[in-house]
């Protein structure tokens, strides 16, 4: 069985030491094969925050696939935002903003849904949707096909609809036809798993809460997801792990 640890919205600069320690302990016990970090890694895209985030994820003990979130583009430094929006992110997590990891049990595709000229809303271009579809179509039969975005492709509460990715309808249609299994995201600090019907195949949207940040949604604890995939049985299980303070 392969194990993927899905974390999101760490917002370094607002991280909490006890929650970080608990997550490190969880990773040590679960020994994930891959860590997926679905954006908003920092609070204000400051170099020190990126360095702290990189040092932390390196301690999780597995390869990391990361994508930027809207908080990972400088907000207050307008010149940097407009001329080099991803320079600070790239210094810590690499210049590839849409990484792909292929392993015997997994095909995980990162998509950069941020835009330098927008503060919050995410966007998917036709070119991005088509790129992901081509990659999904190249998957081996035993691979779980996972797409990682920052802003959600589907929401569980009506009040979160303004946060939906622009282009989500087309993406869901095309990616279902191409064979996607799981769609991982974050952004709204609300964990949930939704089964989406009405497409060419059933899709599952898996959202993570904020992993270690103090920026909690009311009534929602820090949380991460663990995805377990058994290719031989074609069985996938998604678990939500909450931090509960003693």
């Amino acid at each position: 069985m392969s194990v993927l640890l899905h974390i999101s919205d760490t917002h370094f600069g607002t991280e909490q030491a006890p929650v970080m320690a608990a997550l490190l302990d969880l990773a040590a016990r679960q020994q994930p094969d891959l860590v997926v970090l679905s954006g908003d890694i920092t609070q204000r895209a400051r170099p020190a925050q990126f360095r702290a985030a990189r040092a932390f994820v390196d301690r999780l003990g597995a390869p990391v696939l990361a994508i930027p979130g809207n908080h990972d583009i400088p907000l207050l430094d307008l010149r940097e935002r407009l001329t080099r929006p991803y320079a600070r992110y790239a210094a810590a997590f690499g210049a590839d903003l849409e990484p792909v990891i292929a392993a015997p049990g997994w095909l995980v595709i990162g998509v950069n849904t941020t835009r330098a000229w927008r503060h919050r809303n995410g966007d998917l271009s036709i070119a991005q949707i088509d790129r992901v579809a081509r990659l999904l179509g190249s998957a081996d039969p035993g691979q779980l096909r996972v797409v990682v975005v920052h802003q959600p492709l589907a929401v569980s509460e009506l009040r979160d609809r303004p946060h939906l990715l622009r282009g989500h309808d087309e993406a869901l249609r095309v990616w279902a036809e191409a064979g996607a299994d799981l769609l991982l995201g974050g952004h709204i600090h609300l964990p949930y798993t939704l089964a989406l019907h009405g497409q060419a195949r059933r899709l599952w949207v898996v959202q993570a809460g904020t992993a270690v940040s103090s920026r909690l949604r009311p009534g929602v604890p820090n949380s991460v997801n663990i995805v377990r995939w058994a290719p031989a049985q074609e069985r996938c299980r998604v678990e939500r792990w909450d931090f509960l303070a003693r």
Side-chain angles (χ1 to χ4, degrees), residues 136 145-147 175-183 201-203:
L136 290 169
R145 290 153 290 189
V146 182
V147 182
W175 294 349
E177 292 175 353
D181 295 306
L182 302 183
L183 308 173
R201 60 181 283 147
R202 184 171 58 181
L203 299 172

Side-chain angles (χ1 to χ4, degrees), residues 38-52:
S38 55
D40 277 1
I41 299 168
T42 66
Q43 175 61 13
R44 281 290 173 257
R46 292 176 179 144
Q49 294 171 356
F50 277 119
R51 288 194 296 269

Side-chain angles (χ1 to χ4, degrees), residues 12-13 15 20 46-57 93:
F12 270 82
E15 71 274 21
M20 293 168 61
R46 292 176 179 144
Q49 294 171 356
F50 277 119
R51 288 194 296 269
R54 181 78 248 189
F56 177 74
V57 299
F93 288 90

Side-chain angles (χ1 to χ4, degrees), residues 61-235:
V64 176
L65 181 148
I67 60 168
N70 52 293
H71 275 260
D72 299 318
I73 300 173
L75 174 64
L76 304 177
D77 187 339
L78 187 59
R79 181 175 179 179
E80 189 82 359
R81 184 181 187 91
L82 294 178
T83 61
R84 303 194 315 153
Y86 300 105
R88 298 174 184 177
Y89 172 91
F93 288 90
D96 188 355
L97 305 180
E98 298 191 313
V100 177
I101 290 183
W106 305 89
L107 176 63
V108 186
I109 304 166
V111 187
N112 176 23
T113 58
T114 65
R115 300 295 184 262
W117 57 88
R118 291 187 181 143
H119 173 43
R120 292 182 181 175
N121 293 108
D123 196 358
L124 282 168
S125 68
I126 295 299
Q128 287 178 306
I129 293 171
D130 289 345
R131 165 189 169 268
V132 171
R134 289 193 300 272
L135 289 167
L136 290 169
S138 70
D140 294 332
Q143 288 178 315
L144 190 71
R145 290 153 290 189
V146 182
V147 182
V148 185
V149 295
H150 178 56
Q151 292 90 349
L153 284 154
V155 295
S156 61
E157 298 184 11
L158 186 61
R159 61 175 170 163
D160 290 320
R161 283 195 61 81
H163 297 294
L164 280 169
L165 266 172
R166 300 183 184 193
H168 65 279
D169 285 332
E170 180 69 3
L172 293 175
R173 182 186 68 80
V174 172
W175 294 349
E177 292 175 353
D181 295 306
L182 302 183
L183 308 173
L184 274 52
H187 186 60
I188 56 176
H189 299 196
L190 181 66
Y192 54 86
T193 300
L194 285 180
L196 302 184
H197 304 275
Q199 304 291 344
R201 60 181 283 147
R202 184 171 58 181
L203 299 172
W204 294 86
V205 168
V206 180
Q207 288 285 124
T210 175
V212 299
S213 169
S214 61
R215 292 171 51 91
L216 294 167
R217 190 159 169 152
V220 182
N222 295 101
S223 68
V224 300
N225 296 320
I226 290 179
V227 181
R228 304 186 193 274
W229 168 237
Q233 293 81 35
E234 295 187 347
R235 186 175 72 245

